[in-house]
Amino acid sequence: MSITKPSLPKGTRDFSPQEMVKRNYIFDTIKTVFKKYGYAEIQTPSMENLATLTGKYGDEGDKLIFKILNSGDFLAKVDEQLLANKNSQLATSKISEKALRYDLTVPFARYVVMHQNDIAFPFKRFQVQPVWRADRPQKGRYREFYQCDADVVGSPSLLNEAEFVLIYHEALSSLGLKDFNIKINNRKILSGIAEIIGKPELIVDMTVAIDKLDKIGLDGVSKELLERGFTESDIEQLKPVILLEGSNVEKLESLKKVLANSATGLKGIEEIETVFNYVAKLTTNSVALSTVLELDITLARGLNYYTGCIFEVKTNEVAMGSIGGGGRYDDLTGMFGLKDLTGVGISFGADRIYDVLEELNLFPETAAQGTKVLISNFDEAAELFALPILQQLRAAGVAAELYPSAAKLKKQLGYADSKNIPFVILIGADEMQSGLLTLKDMKSGEQQQLDVISLIEKLR
Amino acid sequence: MSITKPSLPKGTRDFSPQEMVKRNYIFDTIKTVFKKYGYAEIQTPSMENLATLTGKYGDEGDKLIFKILNSGDFLAKVDEQLLANKNSQLATSKISEKALRYDLTVPFARYVVMHQNDIAFPFKRFQVQPVWRADRPQKGRYREFYQCDADVVGSPSLLNEAEFVLIYHEALSSLGLKDFNIKINNRKILSGIAEIIGKPELIVDMTVAIDKLDKIGLDGVSKELLERGFTESDIEQLKPVILLEGSNVEKLESLKKVLANSATGLKGIEEIETVFNYVAKLTTNSVALSTVLELDITLARGLNYYTGCIFEVKTNEVAMGSIGGGGRYDDLTGMFGLKDLTGVGISFGADRIYDVLEELNLFPETAAQGTKVLISNFDEAAELFALPILQQLRAAGVAAELYPSAAKLKKQLGYADSKNIPFVILIGADEMQSGLLTLKDMKSGEQQQLDVISLIEKLR
């Protein structure tokens, strides 16, 4: 066996114990909220059949799917000419049948269709698993990363949308975030606007341009709209939309005027109002949400699949892209032959939330703590003395370690320090004779003498 | 987008909410014990560089590694002649640089070497992640399955081995298993026996044959030993080993005689005795372990890498292969250039443990329960009435759902039933008027009238 200098594939990461504890803190917090709202966990395999995934993410997406090489003599049946032509794209389908999942949504759609007879609809599921994308790695973008999704399918009720607003609010607040916005929009409002101008086919161009208002101002947006096929008179009509301001209620009132002649647009407004009403009824004792939830007409994520409400969450405490998003799709499972199943879902950007909590120093101290106490080991007699105490601590539910061999005090304290162990029990000749053990608080440096029972009581 | 009839790659599985709750129960129980003993979680990427994995699992293992096709125009730089020859094996290294991990041990070794300067040794880590093998799928054998490992590297102390015995005992007992054996052996004892006979190179053949005693009897074992290159006189020498019986102490006494002239063999016995002594000291108040821990000289897993103690765990309540195993390896990280780092580790067979618990009906009822209460929804008035109650329940930590739209009682009760929701709150005109809500116990069918505060108190 030759010696390999170890390295990792680019865009992938190891997670150390310290990082894992923090990551689990985030995932556990979000999962707890999902469960409280009636969402149940599922998992799907890392591999899907290639045919399940291709064609679902556009041509660019297809290229970013990691394909798995067939096992065995995979070249045997491949056409010679095809190989001679070195046509990688055509060859792929001949030498690869499986691929790593690209997101959690398509596997979820497949799951729903395959298990439709066992599922009680509305089906509220959450899923926290890694996905893989052959993107160019860069700061904050990885080739393997976790998605953290909740979706409900089989219920058109806008109560679901409202509950997702609450889920975002509760989860992010639980994580200690204080200033964030949950932005909401509705695809039907955007469609209505494009319809009023008479250019429904330009809905995406319109939204992309409007979305840049903050960066390039009204003149810049107007210029871009002209380039994208709109006329001066279109832009005149769009102005009240581009310059929409005020409270959510005020924005909705302005939009109602603009969209008075679009049934679709008015439907979108009605949906948003219903969500706002549900949220208000669900939070009678809290005013927090009314300032957090914000109608943002420029929000345009997922216009290829979202058909109703659209969500995006941004923190205002750190410069960071969105830390969550989602929306309603009216035909998730149609691609697998199950028509007319409506759904709505949201996603948390766990990696970004991690960076936000790190920057704001919001991870609780307990989220960095594994072992609670280390028992020192200076010689065989002390080790023998320590063994039953070690096990009594564990029986009391205290995560405890005995340093596994005799070593210098400094080395053992260094071990405790690097593992963030808050207490060390020192056992020397005096302690063994008196039965009073020395408990050292690693943070304050203080030491106290305690008998075993008091010690366990203190550490429990 | 054409419609794909959905299916899963063979050997892979979806996990439903009911299954996930049970799987999490197993993983959480084991993780809790790992942590109590000072083990900290890490995770490594699903993908490793192909060079990290190849050559570590033997030729057969190499074939079972799932390779990932390079992205982009992967054929562009491949030699024409190589493609024309259709040499799949040679081609693999040209069109694939990455692969899915095959186990958690090699990635762990890579991790230790790459992060050696940040690690405080002894390094006690656990890891629960999926691995992938292109094995032929069959009952109970999957192409994607979770491994659940704990290892400590950098400590030669046999206290670690003893603690693993306790970890097995505590985790499996916590899961409700009552009758299982933790089998222990030592590679050095096997080496000693082969040495005494003068055939150290035949250690594996010897052990494989002896291991079959239960199935094929002494005559069968003798026949197999002859076929594998041993003589009649070798077999005569081996008889006391093959027929080893009695308590652990009795077995060790017999072995001491057989191995009197083998320093290696005696070292192995001493190691086992040290582990037994540690276990006894750690469990002064418990006799349970002395009957569970069993010296089994035929235990021979991992002879290619284990150098000291070897473990295997079997349940006696269900016919099932081993549900756990492990051992000490003296040179885990040598393959990556870090010499002389000794380690010892164990693994839990989570899929098999799942099947055992299922067969013995040992999953606790709480492990099947997600949402605690469903609020019915018969019309808009009732829905409005329910919204603040729904949120009060959640604020009290009760996982609660409101059926998201008005529907017939039967449909809503069916939904609660299929999701295993134990309580349903019925809100009709009477309830809204009196403020006393009807709480239905789904198991007993009983109904009672409660005001909101009492209701929350009861469900909390």
Side-chain angles (χ1 to χ4, degrees):
Chain A
M1 201 188 304
S2 68
I3 287 172
T4 330
K5 188 177 180 308
S7 63
L8 272 181
K10 62 180 176 181
T12 70
R13 297 167 286 176
D14 285 326
F15 296 113
S16 69
Q18 295 75 24
E19 290 165 323
M20 277 310 299
V21 172
K22 291 177 180 173
R23 286 173 65 82
N24 285 336
Y25 166 71
I26 294 174
F27 290 132
D28 290 346
T29 302
I30 297 171
K31 284 178 182 179
T32 299
V33 177
F34 283 161
K35 286 181 202 163
K36 221 199 242 184
Y37 284 76
Y39 286 79
E41 186 169 16
I42 70 161
Q43 286 190 346
T44 63
S46 305
M47 301 174 180
E48 295 279 350
N49 287 320
L50 193 49
T52 300
L53 302 184
T54 42
K56 310 301 190 297
Y57 308 105
D59 290 346
E60 275 313 302
D62 279 355
K63 285 184 197 155
L64 302 183
I65 294 172
F66 277 112
K67 284 96 183 172
I68 293 163
L69 199 56
N70 292 343
S71 302
D73 190 4
F74 58 88
L75 286 177
K77 289 183 185 164
V78 182
D79 182 74
E80 277 82 7
Q81 196 53 48
L82 194 152
L83 291 175
N85 291 343
K86 288 193 169 186
N87 187 328
S88 294
Q89 210 182 331
L90 268 181
T92 298
S93 62
K94 307 293 177 190
I95 64 176
S96 165
E97 284 168 359
K98 293 180 289 294
L100 294 176
R101 67 171 163 257
Y102 180 86
D103 69 1
L104 302 179
T105 307
V106 170
F108 173 54
R110 177 199 51 70
Y111 180 99
V112 169
V113 175
M114 276 181 72
H115 303 281
Q116 54 184 290
N117 296 327
D118 306 320
I119 290 173
F121 293 99
F123 182 44
K124 299 169 86 168
R125 88 86 171 80
F126 75 86
Q127 195 171 350
V128 180
Q129 290 193 277
V131 302
W132 296 268
R133 296 183 184 180
D135 256 324
R136 183 187 301 272
Q138 48 180 270
K139 190 179 178 308
R141 187 189 287 173
Y142 301 98
R143 291 187 150 188
E144 175 179 54
F145 59 97
Y146 272 69
Q147 287 193 336
C148 187
D149 287 12
D151 291 79
V152 47
V153 289
S155 167
S157 168
L158 292 156
L159 174 61
N160 299 300
E161 273 86 340
E163 292 201 324
F164 279 133
V165 172
L166 269 66
I167 287 174
Y168 268 136
H169 187 257
E170 185 165 340
L172 295 176
S173 302
S174 299
L175 289 169
L177 294 188
K178 294 198 167 46
D179 183 9
F180 55 89
N181 280 115
I182 303 167
K183 298 185 175 194
I184 184 168
N185 195 6
N186 193 295
R187 158 70 182 248
K188 296 186 180 84
I189 293 178
L190 295 172
S191 298
I193 297 166
E195 188 185 310
I196 291 289
I197 302 169
K199 302 208 163 132
E201 75 286 1
L202 290 183
I203 176 172
V204 173
D205 292 86
M206 177 188 84
T207 322
V208 167
I210 296 179
D211 186 33
K212 295 184 183 165
L213 183 66
D214 278 354
K215 288 181 203 141
I216 58 179
L218 182 60
D219 288 350
V221 171
S222 301
K223 188 161 166 268
E224 179 150 347
L225 285 168
L226 285 173
E227 285 166 10
R228 287 176 177 267
F230 292 87
T231 66
E232 293 282 0
S233 111
D234 294 341
I235 294 169
E236 214 44 49
Q237 274 190 285
L238 274 173
K239 263 198 188 144
V241 174
I242 302 173
L243 298 175
L244 202 63
E245 273 191 342
S247 69
N248 290 333
V249 172
E250 288 162 347
K251 285 181 187 169
L252 286 169
E253 289 313 311
S254 304
L255 281 173
K256 274 182 197 167
K257 286 174 202 149
V258 175
L259 295 171
N261 292 320
S262 164
T264 306
L266 291 175
K267 179 87 176 103
I269 291 172
E270 189 196 319
E271 288 183 9
I272 293 272
E273 285 182 327
T274 304
V275 173
F276 284 174
N277 284 334
Y278 271 126
V279 169
K281 291 282 174 196
L282 283 164
T283 54
T284 37
N285 300 319
S286 151
V287 287
L289 258 170
S290 60
T291 57
V292 167
L293 184 59
E294 182 199 332
L295 174 63
D296 180 354
I297 211 71
T298 68
L299 176 59
R301 62 187 291 148
L303 287 185
N304 294 328
Y305 38 91
Y306 290 142
T307 50
C309 287
I310 308 170
F311 300 107
E312 193 165 271
V313 184
K314 287 204 170 160
T315 168
N316 301 315
E317 299 176 87
V318 176
M320 178 72 70
S322 79
I323 55 174
R328 180 172 287 272
Y329 35 82
D330 274 346
D331 186 24
L332 175 70
T333 53
M335 56 180 136
F336 298 119
L338 183 62
K339 290 284 177 202
D340 299 326
L341 199 59
T342 183
V344 54
I346 59 165
S347 187
F348 284 85
D351 281 309
R352 285 186 175 172
I353 292 172
Y354 186 104
D355 290 345
V356 170
L357 298 194
E358 195 73 283
E359 192 166 333
L360 297 174
N361 206 14
L362 286 177
F363 284 109
E365 256 188 63
T366 50
Q369 191 178 301
T371 301
K372 185 82 173 277
V373 63
L374 174 75
I375 307 182
S376 67
N377 186 343
F378 297 119
D379 54 33
E380 204 174 325
E383 183 182 281
L384 267 175
F385 188 88
L387 291 171
I389 298 168
L390 174 63
Q391 220 45 23
Q392 279 172 274
L393 282 163
R394 288 170 178 159
V398 179
E401 290 182 56
L402 168 62
Y403 199 81
S405 49
K408 293 224 167 104
L409 176 62
K410 197 183 162 195
K411 189 172 180 186
Q412 299 187 52
L413 292 182
Y415 175 80
D417 203 44
S418 75
K419 273 189 90 163
N420 250 323
I421 301 176
F423 295 100
V424 175
I425 297 172
L426 300 169
I427 300 179
D430 290 351
E431 281 83 359
M432 283 189 274
Q433 195 158 24
S434 69
L436 289 177
L437 311 182
T438 301
L439 182 70
K440 184 183 177 74
D441 182 322
M442 289 295 285
K443 204 168 176 182
S444 67
E446 274 169 38
Q447 299 192 174
Q448 61 182 132
Q449 318 291 319
L450 293 167
D451 62 31
V452 175
I453 292 171
S454 316
L455 190 84
I456 292 173
E457 205 47 53
K458 187 176 162 65
L459 293 172
R460 185 202 280 275
Chain B
M1 203 188 303
S2 67
I3 287 172
T4 330
K5 189 178 180 306
S7 63
L8 272 181
K10 60 180 177 182
T12 69
R13 297 167 285 175
D14 285 326
F15 295 114
S16 69
Q18 296 74 25
E19 289 165 323
M20 277 310 299
V21 172
K22 291 177 181 173
R23 286 174 65 82
N24 284 336
Y25 166 71
I26 293 174
F27 290 132
D28 290 346
T29 302
I30 296 171
K31 284 178 182 179
T32 299
V33 177
F34 284 160
K35 287 181 201 163
K36 220 199 243 185
Y37 283 76
Y39 286 79
E41 186 169 15
I42 70 161
Q43 286 189 347
T44 62
S46 305
M47 300 174 181
E48 295 279 349
N49 287 320
L50 193 49
T52 300
L53 302 184
T54 42
K56 310 301 190 298
Y57 308 106
D59 290 345
E60 276 311 304
D62 279 356
K63 284 184 198 157
L64 302 184
I65 294 171
F66 278 113
K67 284 96 183 171
I68 293 163
L69 200 56
N70 291 345
S71 302
D73 191 3
F74 57 88
L75 286 177
K77 289 183 185 164
V78 182
D79 182 74
E80 278 81 7
Q81 197 53 48
L82 194 151
L83 290 175
N85 291 343
K86 289 193 169 185
N87 186 329
S88 294
Q89 211 183 329
L90 268 181
T92 298
S93 63
K94 307 293 176 191
I95 63 176
S96 165
E97 284 168 1
K98 294 180 288 294
L100 294 176
R101 67 171 163 257
Y102 180 87
D103 69 2
L104 301 180
T105 307
V106 170
F108 173 54
R110 177 199 53 69
Y111 180 100
V112 169
V113 175
M114 276 181 70
H115 303 281
Q116 54 184 291
N117 296 327
D118 306 320
I119 291 173
F121 292 99
F123 182 44
K124 299 169 86 167
R125 88 86 172 78
F126 75 86
Q127 197 171 350
V128 180
Q129 289 192 278
V131 301
W132 296 268
R133 297 183 183 180
D135 257 323
R136 185 188 299 271
Q138 48 181 270
K139 191 180 177 306
R141 187 189 287 174
Y142 301 98
R143 292 187 149 188
E144 174 178 55
F145 58 97
Y146 271 70
Q147 286 194 336
C148 186
D149 286 13
D151 291 79
V152 47
V153 290
S155 168
S157 169
L158 292 157
L159 175 61
N160 299 301
E161 273 85 339
E163 292 201 324
F164 278 134
V165 171
L166 268 66
I167 287 174
Y168 268 136
H169 187 255
E170 185 165 339
L172 296 175
S173 301
S174 298
L175 289 169
L177 295 188
K178 296 200 164 45
D179 183 8
F180 55 88
N181 280 115
I182 303 167
K183 298 184 176 197
I184 185 168
N185 194 6
N186 193 297
R187 158 68 183 247
K188 295 186 180 84
I189 292 178
L190 295 172
S191 297
I193 296 167
E195 189 186 310
I196 291 289
I197 302 171
K199 304 214 159 125
E201 75 285 3
L202 290 184
I203 176 173
V204 173
D205 292 85
M206 177 188 83
T207 321
V208 166
I210 295 179
D211 186 34
K212 295 183 183 165
L213 183 66
D214 278 355
K215 288 184 203 138
I216 58 178
L218 182 60
D219 289 350
V221 172
S222 301
K223 187 160 166 267
E224 178 148 348
L225 284 168
L226 285 173
E227 285 166 10
R228 287 176 178 269
F230 291 88
T231 65
E232 292 281 0
S233 109
D234 295 341
I235 293 170
E236 215 44 49
Q237 275 189 283
L238 274 174
K239 262 197 191 146
V241 173
I242 302 174
L243 299 174
L244 201 64
E245 274 191 342
S247 70
N248 289 333
V249 173
E250 288 163 348
K251 285 180 186 170
L252 286 169
E253 289 313 311
S254 304
L255 280 174
K256 274 181 197 166
K257 286 174 201 148
V258 176
L259 295 172
N261 292 320
S262 164
T264 306
L266 291 175
K267 179 87 176 106
I269 291 172
E270 189 197 319
E271 288 183 9
I272 294 272
E273 284 180 329
T274 304
V275 173
F276 284 173
N277 284 335
Y278 271 125
V279 169
K281 292 281 175 198
L282 283 163
T283 53
T284 37
N285 300 318
S286 150
V287 287
L289 258 170
S290 60
T291 56
V292 167
L293 183 59
E294 182 199 334
L295 174 63
D296 180 354
I297 211 71
T298 67
L299 177 59
R301 62 188 292 148
L303 287 185
N304 294 329
Y305 38 91
Y306 290 142
T307 51
C309 287
I310 309 170
F311 299 106
E312 193 164 272
V313 184
K314 285 202 171 164
T315 168
N316 302 314
E317 299 176 86
V318 177
M320 178 72 69
S322 80
I323 55 173
R328 180 173 286 274
Y329 35 81
D330 274 347
D331 187 25
L332 175 69
T333 53
M335 57 179 134
F336 298 119
L338 184 61
K339 290 283 177 202
D340 299 325
L341 198 60
T342 183
V344 54
I346 58 165
S347 187
F348 283 85
D351 281 309
R352 284 185 175 172
I353 291 172
Y354 186 103
D355 290 345
V356 170
L357 298 194
E358 196 73 283
E359 192 167 333
L360 296 175
N361 206 13
L362 285 177
F363 284 109
E365 256 188 64
T366 50
Q369 191 178 300
T371 301
K372 185 83 172 278
V373 62
L374 173 75
I375 308 181
S376 66
N377 187 343
F378 297 120
D379 54 34
E380 204 174 325
E383 183 182 281
L384 267 176
F385 188 88
L387 290 171
I389 299 168
L390 174 64
Q391 220 45 24
Q392 279 172 272
L393 281 163
R394 289 170 178 159
V398 179
E401 290 181 57
L402 169 62
Y403 199 82
S405 50
K408 293 221 167 108
L409 176 62
K410 198 183 162 195
K411 189 171 179 185
Q412 299 187 50
L413 293 181
Y415 175 79
D417 203 44
S418 75
K419 272 189 90 164
N420 249 323
I421 302 175
F423 294 100
V424 175
I425 297 172
L426 301 169
I427 301 179
D430 290 352
E431 281 83 359
M432 283 188 274
Q433 194 160 24
S434 69
L436 290 177
L437 311 182
T438 301
L439 181 70
K440 185 184 176 74
D441 182 323
M442 289 295 284
K443 204 167 176 183
S444 67
E446 275 169 36
Q447 299 192 174
Q448 62 181 132
Q449 318 291 320
L450 293 167
D451 62 33
V452 174
I453 292 171
S454 316
L455 190 85
I456 292 173
E457 206 46 55
K458 186 176 163 65
L459 292 173
R460 186 202 280 273

